Amino acid sequence: MNNFHYHNPTHIVFGKDTIATLADLIPADKKIILIYGGGSIKKNGVYDQVAAALKGRIAVEFAGIEPNPLYETCMDAVKLIKDKKIDFILAVGGGSVIDGSKFIAAAACYNGEPWDILAKGGEVKAALPLGTVLTLPATGTEMNGNSVISRKSSDEKLAFYSPKVYPAFSILDPETTYSLPKNQLRNGIVDAFVHVMEQYATYSVETPLQDRQAEAVVNTLVEISGRVLTQEKDYNASASFVWCTTQALNGLINCGVVQDWATHMIGHELTAFFGLAHAESLAIVLPGLWKHQLAHKQDKLAQLGERVWNIKSGSSKEKAQAAIDATVKFFHSVKMPTTLKDYNISAADIQKVVTRFKERGTVLGEHQNITWKEVEEILTLCL
Ligand code: NZQ
Ligand code: ZN
């Protein structure tokens, strides 16, 4: 097992009717900005619950953070925050609203060009405090220090991590997810599944507890996915769904393990160039990447096969291959497409992505053996 630090400062408030606790969670002397997305919270009653809980304490609102949040939009919010001397951000929405708010929190305190936080690894020395009300279980952003921001002017999608942008608290009320359309539920299931795999399907450094914690998250996701997708206001299925997605990326299952994240890095480029939803991009890249890297990932994929997909016979290689097929079958069972062709993306189109990796000289994967050349081979397997 590798050395690790584990510190997660986010206070989770989980369950029914918990939005009402907002007033106690935000210190009374704070001047609050409410940040949200395109208006889903106005349709499903979440906005009304937030307003009722805070009883006139919201100083200003900023709406319109888009899916795959844009740097350009976030910078409008930074200006508003500075003009109104805001000192607390309340983000209400899905991963995009929360990621956008994390970037805004950091950018509002940054000396220099905030894009450098994403493009040049500019250090986040301070950030405004942030609390969240999560309405879409998928990303895990409600309990981590990551944020992913896109820039329209350059078709870029870049991530940063800072311990300064962990939410101070996150309210997870499973009932807020009842209004999610089927494609967002499907996206959440697949995103969380792939988060676990990025931290699991690498090579073993003997972490049997973390392996079983990771398997528990994906086994539970698989078990409840059917109930979640019926949209029948099944509280306990929704509650497990929310908690699985949080656990998939809150730093617990990656303690001391070897991580990959190449699927995410390649997927982000598919979103930046072709507009695919985040989880849609992952469902395409993961199977191709696994096939390409089979020799390196075989042992863990065989273990996935045995313990999650119940594949008991065959050699280690055969079990690993069967695990890839079973994963694709699972994605299809939640109605998630798994090829570039499904989105009319051709071999010629993928050259845009390949060129970007070539220009940046990025090297990916747990063995740092995926250069632009391998990206091209992997995406060719995804056609
Ligand atoms: O904008 P509104 O009107 O709120 O509508 C949203 C949006 O259109 C809607 N929605 C959210 N909650 C709803 C709802 N509709 C009905 N009922 C509700 N309860 O859903 C749409 C998609 O929302 P979005 O926030 O974009 O989805 P998601 O939570 O999947 O977030 C995706 C973003 O997170 C990033 C992705 O790259 C992408 O930009 N990620 C962030 C990570 C992190 N910070 O750790 C890790 C992930 O790997 C991921 O990269
Ligand atoms: Zn993801």
Side-chain angles (χ1 to χ4, degrees):
M1 191 184 308
N2 293 335
N3 293 1
F4 61 88
H5 285 240
Y6 179 64
H7 174 74
N8 194 315
T10 303
H11 173 182
I12 296 293
V13 182
F14 191 101
K16 277 184 198 181
D17 303 325
T18 44
I19 294 174
T21 64
L22 267 175
D24 300 329
L25 293 166
I26 306 177
D29 60 342
K30 293 292 182 197
K31 198 167 175 193
I32 305 167
I33 184 170
L34 167 63
I35 298 184
Y36 59 100
S40 69
I41 66 165
K42 291 221 163 162
K43 292 190 199 124
N44 62 11
V46 171
Y47 176 93
D48 291 339
Q49 290 183 59
V50 169
L54 288 171
K55 294 193 187 73
R57 284 179 54 197
I58 296 166
V60 55
E61 293 184 10
F62 185 89
I65 300 284
E66 48 287 280
N68 305 307
L70 290 179
Y71 164 78
E72 289 87 346
T73 309
C74 292
M75 289 310 293
D76 289 342
V78 171
K79 186 171 181 309
L80 184 63
I81 283 173
K82 288 186 175 171
D83 286 351
K84 302 280 182 192
K85 300 198 168 25
I86 295 297
D87 58 7
F88 193 94
I89 297 175
L90 177 61
V92 182
S96 294
V97 168
I98 297 175
D99 278 13
S101 298
K102 288 177 174 177
F103 177 69
I104 292 163
C109 303
Y110 193 72
N111 281 329
E113 165 53 65
W115 181 249
D116 291 350
I117 298 171
L118 294 145
K120 298 185 181 164
E123 190 192 349
V124 177
K125 293 191 175 134
L128 291 179
L130 162 89
T132 88
V133 177
L134 179 76
T135 64
L136 200 174
T139 62
T141 187
E142 65 279 6
M143 201 180 179
N144 70 36
N146 305 324
S147 162
V148 193
I149 302 295
S150 298
R151 191 165 188 170
K152 203 177 177 180
S153 60
S154 53
D155 283 338
E156 286 174 280
K157 181 170 183 175
L158 298 174
F160 78 100
Y161 165 83
S162 166
K164 305 278 181 204
V165 300
Y166 275 80
F169 66 80
S170 284
I171 296 183
L172 315 184
D173 178 347
E175 293 193 320
T176 64
T177 68
Y178 290 162
S179 55
L180 281 164
K182 268 194 177 160
N183 70 322
Q184 296 299 347
L185 293 165
R186 166 203 83 169
N187 290 353
I189 292 166
V190 170
D191 193 16
F193 186 97
V194 178
H195 290 161
V196 175
M197 290 302 119
E198 298 271 29
Q199 303 162 89
Y200 173 92
T202 60
Y203 61 88
S204 176
V205 287
E206 277 196 65
T207 52
L209 171 63
Q210 295 90 321
D211 284 5
R212 289 195 171 84
Q213 287 173 318
E215 288 153 5
V217 175
V218 290
N219 269 323
T220 309
L221 275 173
V222 172
E223 190 177 299
I224 61 174
S225 60
R227 279 166 70 187
V228 166
L229 286 168
T230 59
Q231 295 178 296
E232 280 181 358
K233 299 193 178 177
D234 180 339
Y235 180 80
N236 286 324
S238 299
S240 282
F241 178 35
V242 172
W243 197 224
C244 278
T245 58
T246 302
Q247 291 288 324
L249 197 49
N250 71 352
L252 182 67
I253 63 169
N254 70 22
C255 289
V257 309
V258 177
Q259 303 180 60
D260 181 349
W261 296 105
T263 294
H264 270 69
M265 298 307 285
I266 301 171
H268 286 172
E269 299 304 330
L270 293 179
T271 298
F273 282 119
F274 309 114
L276 269 61
H278 173 63
E280 292 173 342
S281 75
L282 304 178
I284 295 169
V285 179
L286 186 82
L289 186 128
W290 278 359
K291 283 178 202 155
H292 190 273
Q293 294 289 305
L294 187 69
H296 301 295
K297 293 181 180 291
Q298 181 178 307
D299 293 349
K300 287 306 271 298
L301 287 176
Q303 183 174 302
L304 173 78
E306 285 172 21
R307 297 190 187 168
V308 174
W309 302 127
N310 214 16
I311 297 159
K312 301 291 182 204
S313 61
S315 65
S316 168
K317 188 174 178 185
E318 284 163 349
K319 283 180 185 164
Q321 282 165 329
I324 299 174
D325 293 344
T327 301
V328 169
K329 206 170 150 198
F330 172 62
F331 291 166
H332 290 166
S333 78
V334 298
K335 304 277 185 296
M336 178 61 95
T338 52
T339 68
L340 289 165
K341 199 164 42 187
D342 290 309
Y343 301 90
N344 294 318
I345 298 170
S346 67
D349 294 328
I350 63 178
Q351 285 310 316
K352 279 188 181 178
V353 175
V354 173
T355 303
R356 177 157 277 171
F357 280 106
K358 199 171 181 177
E359 283 166 2
R360 287 200 192 131
T362 324
V363 188
L364 305 172
E366 67 271 20
H367 295 286
Q368 295 285 285
N369 63 345
I370 300 176
T371 70
W372 64 269
K373 281 191 191 145
E374 287 74 27
V375 169
E376 186 172 31
E377 290 164 11
I378 290 166
L379 287 175
T380 304
L381 291 171
C382 302
L383 282 167

